[in-house]
Amino acid sequence: MIVSKFGGTSVGTFQAMKNSAEIVGSDTNRKLIVISATSGTTNDLVALGISELDATSQEEILIRIKERHLSITNQLENKEEAERDFKEELTQLRQHLEQVARDKRWKDRLVSFGELMSTKIFIHVLKENGVDAKWLDAREFLKTDSNFGNAVVDLPKLKKNISEKVNSDSVYLTQGFIGSDIFGNTTTLGRGGSDFSAALFAEALEAEKLEIWTDVAGIYSTDPRVVKEARPIKEITFDEAAELSVFGGKVLHPATLKPAIRGKVDVRVASTSEPEKEGTLIVHESLEKPVIRALSLRKNQTLLTVKSLAMLHQYGFLAKLFQVLANYKISVDLVSTSEVSVSLTLDTAVNASNKVELTSDVINELKKFCEVKIEKEYSLVALIGNNLNKTAGISGAIFDKLKDFNIRMVCHGASENNICFLADEPEGEAIVKLLHKEFIEVQE
Ligand code: ADP
Ligand code: ASP
Ligand code: MG
């Protein structure tokens, strides 16, 4: 069995949906199809949830969502049915906007309309392309806790539920990104979470293969939007790909590979617009093991530094600090400590899959036992590869090229697969371009 996930741009227009449907139909082993919202729609829905929004802007966004979807249904032969199914969702979205107070729970339900709308239309596109799929509401089997915006999945329940719904005699279509808690409230898995949903479904169904169909022909040596010389990687190990996605390779949601590793599911990343290209295979063992294989960049990072003289020759300070962060469900990326201070980086980018919000509550909590300094606008750059912690001279070679930049928080040694550091945000792209040229383009 193959589980195939199609991302936002792969279902963003009629033509894209048609290409995706043709891919689905070209291999009868593709049994579970998971799709995201049409490209741009989740951002629109997030914008609808901003409490300061006035009525005119709200209407503008709703019209944009409507036109985007009707421009797809309009091109179907049997367009009435698809249009009706879509409009049912749109009506519910409008009612939802009127009804509910603006709290976090409501936002997850609000953004879930993106995936509900896209699947309601894609089912018809599949049909016109000869694939008679069954539509499934992912919320019926993907059960989560009630941590809205970043819900944690109940895997045993998923395994039990999904095996009751899906059997290998049919093709099924469902939504990525959304689930529901035990009370039936809609929850979401964090931005970009459809990849993660698809991986969980593949694990739960003991599928052989997970396909991530997107707008680029695989995992590249770095984001091709930033560096035009970036090239697709044929084969990459799970360890490297996991580091790359965690440190900003947006092509995969950071949690995607864990279920695939646990379930021994092969993963392929490929492009819907160039399906004939092999894309990238993620493998357990790769013959080729370059020291530097890829680079990633994450903007909008925040540096939190806490300082306390009480830390000097004391134990328990770090435990206390991390307990406070854990209580507020704040996840930390890089850590660096000195005698009396600790610096941490947090992912505060708007579309981060695991977005951190440093609220005044958590800052006040920290201020009870230390001084707190917050610096924004950093870029986090990571070099991904193999044996990075055992290769003599590698950090010298890297930082020698970066003499003109102000580099902070270098993390080297914790993993054999990455070296990462912070730079001033505006310099992130220039650094990635430079390192790509010096360490990756020379390998060609
Ligand atoms: P989808 O909607 O299909 O999930 P995303 O926009 O989430 O697509 O992810 C694909 C995008 O990820 C690409 O268009 C590319 O700009 C970006 N990206 C970042 N890093 C990489 C990388 N190393 N390789 C490929 N794409 C990358
Ligand atoms: N539609 C969701 C988002 O934009 C999930 C996804 O695309 O994976 O974040
Ligand atoms: Mg994505």
Side-chain angles (χ1 to χ4, degrees):
M1 181 191 276
I2 304 176
V3 174
S4 308
K5 178 258 169 178
F6 294 86
T9 35
S10 303
V11 293
T13 61
F14 176 74
Q15 190 55 46
M17 278 204 180
K18 196 166 178 300
N19 290 350
S20 298
E22 277 168 12
I23 292 170
V24 173
S26 67
D27 187 336
T28 51
N29 293 316
R30 295 190 174 108
K31 295 294 183 193
L32 180 63
I33 314 305
V34 182
I35 71 169
S36 306
T38 55
S39 162
T41 300
T42 309
N43 286 349
D44 282 342
L45 292 166
V46 170
L48 276 180
I50 296 170
S51 37
E52 305 83 49
L53 200 70
D54 58 67
T56 322
S57 319
Q58 180 173 315
E59 200 48 41
E60 261 172 35
I61 298 176
L62 285 166
I63 289 173
R64 192 157 69 221
I65 292 175
K66 182 172 163 185
E67 287 179 348
R68 183 180 300 135
H69 289 88
L70 289 185
S71 76
I72 301 177
T73 55
N74 269 337
Q75 295 184 64
L76 279 161
E77 275 163 38
N78 188 356
K79 68 176 180 189
E80 286 75 23
E81 250 181 84
E83 200 174 304
R84 187 200 60 214
D85 290 351
F86 161 70
K87 283 192 171 160
E88 253 174 43
E89 291 295 333
L90 189 68
T91 308
Q92 282 199 45
L93 166 59
R94 281 186 177 277
Q95 283 167 356
H96 187 72
L97 276 172
E98 281 166 18
Q99 267 172 13
V100 197
R102 292 164 198 267
D103 69 7
K104 267 194 152 181
R105 180 172 337 186
W106 171 77
K107 282 188 184 163
D108 280 30
R109 171 67 179 117
L110 176 62
V111 293
S112 76
F113 281 105
E115 272 66 15
L116 291 165
M117 288 170 170
S118 65
T119 48
K120 283 283 169 81
I121 296 176
F122 191 54
I123 194 90
H124 295 283
V125 180
L126 283 171
K127 196 165 181 192
E128 288 197 0
N129 284 276
V131 181
D132 214 354
K134 296 192 168 124
W135 188 92
L136 295 175
D137 187 330
R139 295 171 296 180
E140 288 178 13
F141 47 89
L142 193 102
K143 290 289 168 188
T144 70
D145 67 3
S146 304
N147 188 20
F148 297 100
N150 245 323
V152 177
V153 174
D154 184 336
L155 190 59
K157 243 187 217 160
L158 171 65
K159 285 184 177 164
K160 182 173 167 290
N161 293 347
I162 202 167
S163 58
E164 285 165 8
K165 300 249 176 214
V166 171
N167 64 61
S168 53
D169 300 337
S170 309
V171 178
Y172 299 85
L173 169 66
T174 196
Q175 309 78 33
F177 181 53
I178 68 171
S180 69
D181 68 6
I182 51 167
F183 308 105
N185 299 309
T186 301
T187 53
T188 59
L189 305 187
R191 292 303 306 271
S194 296
D195 305 326
F196 185 33
S197 300
L200 288 163
F201 299 156
E203 179 189 11
L205 289 167
E206 297 176 10
E208 274 81 48
K209 196 162 159 190
L210 167 67
E211 294 176 333
I212 304 287
W213 292 94
T214 182
D215 59 354
V216 282
I219 299 179
Y220 280 59
S221 49
T222 193
D223 189 342
R225 278 187 223 176
V226 175
V227 181
K228 66 175 192 316
E229 289 80 11
R231 54 195 173 119
I233 298 168
K234 266 188 138 167
E235 234 184 49
I236 187 169
T237 63
F238 274 96
D239 291 339
E240 290 171 272
E243 298 271 2
L244 184 65
S245 58
V246 167
F247 285 102
K250 188 186 169 220
V251 62
L252 289 179
H253 179 280
T256 310
L257 296 174
K258 268 196 227 155
I261 294 170
R262 285 194 304 254
K264 299 198 169 55
V265 183
D266 292 337
V267 182
R268 177 179 167 214
V269 182
S271 161
T272 348
S273 52
E274 298 173 292
E276 66 292 345
K277 290 197 175 159
E278 257 307 294
T280 301
L281 285 180
I282 307 179
V283 294
H284 288 278
E285 273 302 319
S286 162
L287 287 177
E288 225 188 294
K289 286 194 152 192
V291 179
I292 300 176
R293 172 118 63 189
L295 296 164
S296 67
L297 171 65
R298 223 156 68 176
K299 293 185 188 173
N300 260 302
Q301 306 299 293
T302 295
L303 184 64
L304 170 72
T305 303
V306 297
K307 192 171 167 190
S308 167
L309 284 177
M311 196 179 152
L312 199 64
H313 308 308
Q314 286 298 324
Y315 50 84
F317 180 82
L318 287 177
K320 200 165 160 188
L321 168 65
F322 281 99
Q323 189 55 54
V324 172
L325 297 174
N327 292 347
Y328 286 88
K329 295 195 163 71
I330 289 180
S331 90
V332 171
D333 292 313
L334 312 187
V335 184
S336 154
T337 68
S338 77
E339 276 290 277
V340 292
S341 62
V342 184
S343 289
L344 312 161
T345 70
L346 309 170
D347 194 356
T348 40
V350 190
N351 286 349
S353 52
N354 205 356
K355 184 171 187 283
V356 166
E357 276 177 78
L358 266 183
T359 57
S360 50
D361 284 355
V362 57
I363 295 168
N364 290 337
E365 193 80 25
L366 293 171
K367 280 187 175 162
K368 286 183 190 158
F369 62 97
C370 50
E371 285 171 35
V372 178
K373 187 166 149 199
I374 296 163
E375 295 167 86
K376 293 190 175 157
E377 297 183 3
Y378 282 101
S379 278
L380 192 164
V381 176
L383 296 106
I384 315 291
N386 296 281
N387 296 317
L388 281 159
N389 55 348
K390 297 184 202 103
T391 305
I394 188 72
S395 64
I398 295 165
F399 294 107
D400 185 54
K401 305 287 179 207
L402 301 177
K403 282 192 201 112
D404 298 334
F405 298 96
N406 179 29
I407 303 298
R408 299 194 49 179
M409 289 281 290
V410 176
C411 286
H412 179 195
S415 154
E416 64 175 287
N417 300 115
N418 95 56
I419 294 181
C420 44
F421 56 86
L422 281 192
D424 295 338
E425 180 167 278
E427 296 182 337
E429 289 199 359
I431 291 176
V432 169
K433 281 184 185 141
L434 177 72
L435 293 177
H436 193 271
K437 186 159 172 266
E438 297 287 346
F439 293 99
I440 293 178
E441 286 160 43
V442 293
Q443 292 171 26
E444 281 165 10

